[in-house]
Amino acid sequence: MLQFLDSLADFLFPPLCHICHAFIPDAGKLHICPECLGEIQFISEPACEICGTPFFGAGDSHICGRCLTDRPFFDLARAAAVYGGGVRQMIHAFKYDRKTHLRRPLALLTISATAGFISEEKPEIILPVPLHVERLRQRGFNQAVLLGELISREFRIPMERRTLLRLRRTMPQVALSVAERMENVKNAFGLSKKAKIEGRKVLLVDDVFTTGSTVDECSRILKKSGVARVCVLTVARAING
Ligand SMILES: [Zn+2]
Ligand SMILES: [Zn+2]
């Protein structure tokens, strides 16, 4: 019956690749054609043992220079793919053109690329990086919440939407330098009075890790409040960004 419904759905809505929009006869769950999938640069080891910067096959995993000199507040950050090409295109359409259905392929890519990391780390709660209420009103959704819901469902880790809060509005990070980004997000986050996170292992979820200043500032607040461990999971990671 389910198979019949699947074929009926394919007949009514022929499966198109989320990236190049070509028809894919055997689309599977992901709906990304083999060519587009082949072009996605998945991130694997060797990588920085803390921030996850990929070393693209050179040597063993170790702690990168940046983390050695300026150790982040988070314990570990991992991303599924490099921010570029089809992944960047999907994230843009998802966030800025309100193509919220794209959360599914983006979450599926993240889930399949980072399942090992999740089973090793065993985080206890998922916290999505919050948006300021005004930005949320403008956009209509928080991309980190939409992704976090699917990740939460897959790994059976509860997500708390109102534990980590955005206290003030910040400028979009896109046009800012590394130093400006850090200044921009400083003291932008806080915790709900009801938060019970002391001694817990947190998985912080966002769409893109650029310089890491947003997730690092969230991690600083979480660690200050007694969180035992903060792991960061994003769909994509900017390289040299
Ligand atoms: Zn394609
Ligand atoms: Zn690093």
Side-chain angles (χ1 to χ4, degrees):
M1 182 65 181
L2 275 176
Q3 234 171 1
F4 166 74
L5 287 177
D6 268 354
S7 338
L8 184 69
D10 284 356
F11 175 74
L12 294 172
F13 312 100
L16 303 180
C17 170
H18 285 306
I19 296 171
C20 69
H21 309 296
F23 169 69
I24 352 172
D26 188 13
K29 273 203 222 164
L30 198 53
H31 284 212
I32 295 177
C33 76
E35 286 76 28
C36 291
L37 194 60
E39 280 172 21
I40 294 177
Q41 259 189 300
F42 286 98
I43 294 176
S44 57
E45 292 192 355
C48 171
E49 288 165 353
I50 297 176
C51 73
T53 293
F55 301 144
F56 297 110
D60 293 329
S61 289
H62 56 268
I63 297 178
C64 77
R66 195 179 148 205
C67 290
L68 276 177
T69 49
D70 192 9
R71 201 181 173 107
F73 289 95
F74 54 80
D75 296 282
L76 203 61
R78 291 292 179 267
V82 170
Y83 187 54
V87 169
R88 187 197 176 106
Q89 184 192 318
M90 282 194 289
I91 290 176
H92 260 248
F94 171 41
K95 263 164 86 171
Y96 304 117
D97 299 332
R98 295 167 192 243
K99 302 266 195 295
T100 49
H101 67 279
L102 290 174
R103 75 171 174 156
R104 198 172 147 75
L106 290 169
L108 285 173
L109 286 175
T110 311
I111 287 163
S112 64
T114 55
F117 153 72
I118 299 286
S119 65
E120 258 173 53
E121 282 296 325
K122 300 188 179 58
E124 295 160 305
I125 41 169
I126 292 179
L127 301 181
V129 170
L131 285 185
H132 189 265
V133 68
E134 277 175 42
R135 175 91 34 87
L136 187 62
R137 246 178 245 144
Q138 272 171 2
R139 188 172 292 166
F141 62 91
N142 175 355
Q143 68 278 6
V145 169
L146 296 192
L147 292 166
E149 278 173 353
L150 299 184
I151 294 166
S152 162
R153 220 176 285 164
E154 173 69 24
F155 295 116
R156 296 166 194 247
I157 306 167
M159 181 169 83
E160 295 181 9
R161 293 174 59 165
R162 289 175 189 86
T163 292
L164 184 62
L165 309 168
R166 172 97 53 163
L167 303 179
R168 63 176 176 82
R169 202 174 169 165
T170 52
M171 285 177 16
Q173 296 274 75
V174 171
L176 305 178
S177 70
V178 175
E180 286 168 337
R181 280 168 184 250
M182 281 164 66
E183 198 48 45
N184 187 36
V185 293
K186 186 119 180 84
N187 298 320
F189 301 95
L191 288 173
S192 135
K193 288 199 179 76
K194 292 183 195 152
K196 288 195 182 69
I197 50 168
E198 218 180 305
R200 306 193 80 183
K201 288 165 85 175
V202 165
L203 184 71
L204 201 55
V205 170
D206 207 359
D207 54 342
V208 186
F209 182 112
T210 309
T211 61
S213 46
T214 303
V215 289
D216 201 37
E217 178 61 12
C218 293
S219 305
R220 187 177 72 81
I221 298 298
L222 293 168
K223 283 289 178 81
K224 209 172 82 179
S225 315
V227 164
R229 196 166 164 81
V230 181
C231 294
V232 176
L233 181 61
T234 58
V235 176
R237 184 192 170 100
I239 299 300
N240 301 328

